[in-house]
Amino acid sequence: SFQYSHSSWRKPSLWFLSVFIPKISFVEAEKAYYIHRPMKLDVYANFALIPNFLEFTSGLGIGIRNPFAKNQKEVEFYPEYYLASQVGLANIIVIKASSEYMDQLFKHQLALKLNIRFAEVNVGASLQSGSFVSSLKLAGAGAFVNVFIGF
């Protein structure tokens, strides 16, 4: 306990640490679990036809699912692409349209960005699916809002 006396301070004991530090016990699992993240090798190119007004971005790559699997039959290669164009007014108001195939999903997005120096708001809608034809339908419709604050 922590005590105060008129003559001196006593050294506190560490009883309060047992209150705040949870007791942790380890249990061995019967079966080992492995998590394999895909390995990606991508190349991107940006082309500003009119800087801060009309810009294009493209990307091409390859994804490798289960790259370190013990069984080589589990390793899977797949292509990836990214195409985008954006029209903006001095990076204050920007409209961006993109199409991509990443992580074996086709995704098409339309977004609006409003940047007022200390805050940025991105609002958009997307369509996505595992097949290209289905990605153009409303089966995988989504919306997003991103807010960034700072300088």
Side-chain angles (χ1 to χ4, degrees):
S1 68
F2 186 73
Q3 297 177 356
Y4 173 79
S5 68
H6 291 287
S7 60
S8 66
W9 284 91
R10 289 187 178 202
K11 195 174 194 180
S13 66
L14 300 179
W15 66 269
F16 58 90
L17 288 180
S18 64
V19 174
F20 298 109
I21 298 176
K23 297 190 187 301
I24 300 172
S25 61
F26 295 95
V27 178
E28 287 198 31
E30 295 177 15
K31 182 180 176 184
Y33 291 94
Y34 297 98
I35 299 172
H36 297 284
R37 300 216 13 113
M39 180 185 297
K40 296 183 179 188
L41 304 168
D42 296 320
V43 176
Y44 287 88
N46 297 332
F47 179 66
L49 189 62
I50 303 170
N52 292 329
F53 180 70
L54 182 59
E55 298 180 12
F56 299 99
T57 305
S58 63
L60 190 61
I62 188 167
I64 307 167
R65 186 173 297 260
N66 300 324
F68 305 109
K70 294 178 182 176
N71 185 356
Q72 290 299 316
K73 292 180 181 179
E74 294 178 12
V75 179
E76 180 183 348
F77 294 87
Y78 56 92
E80 293 188 334
Y81 77 85
Y82 179 79
L83 296 171
S85 63
Q86 67 180 30
V87 177
L89 181 62
N91 203 25
I92 297 172
I93 297 175
V94 178
I95 297 172
K96 182 177 184 178
S98 67
S99 177
E100 65 183 73
Y101 180 68
M102 296 282 180
D103 298 321
Q104 297 179 319
L105 281 176
F106 289 96
K107 184 188 290 186
H108 312 287
Q109 287 186 334
L110 183 62
L112 173 68
K113 175 173 82 170
L114 177 63
N115 185 353
I116 53 174
R117 217 28 135 178
F118 67 90
E120 178 180 318
V121 178
N122 297 334
V123 178
S126 67
L127 300 171
Q128 65 182 7
S129 179
S131 75
F132 185 78
V133 175
S134 296
S135 68
L136 297 174
K137 299 177 182 176
L138 293 177
F144 61 90
V145 175
N146 299 326
V147 178
F148 304 99
I149 297 175
F151 290 96

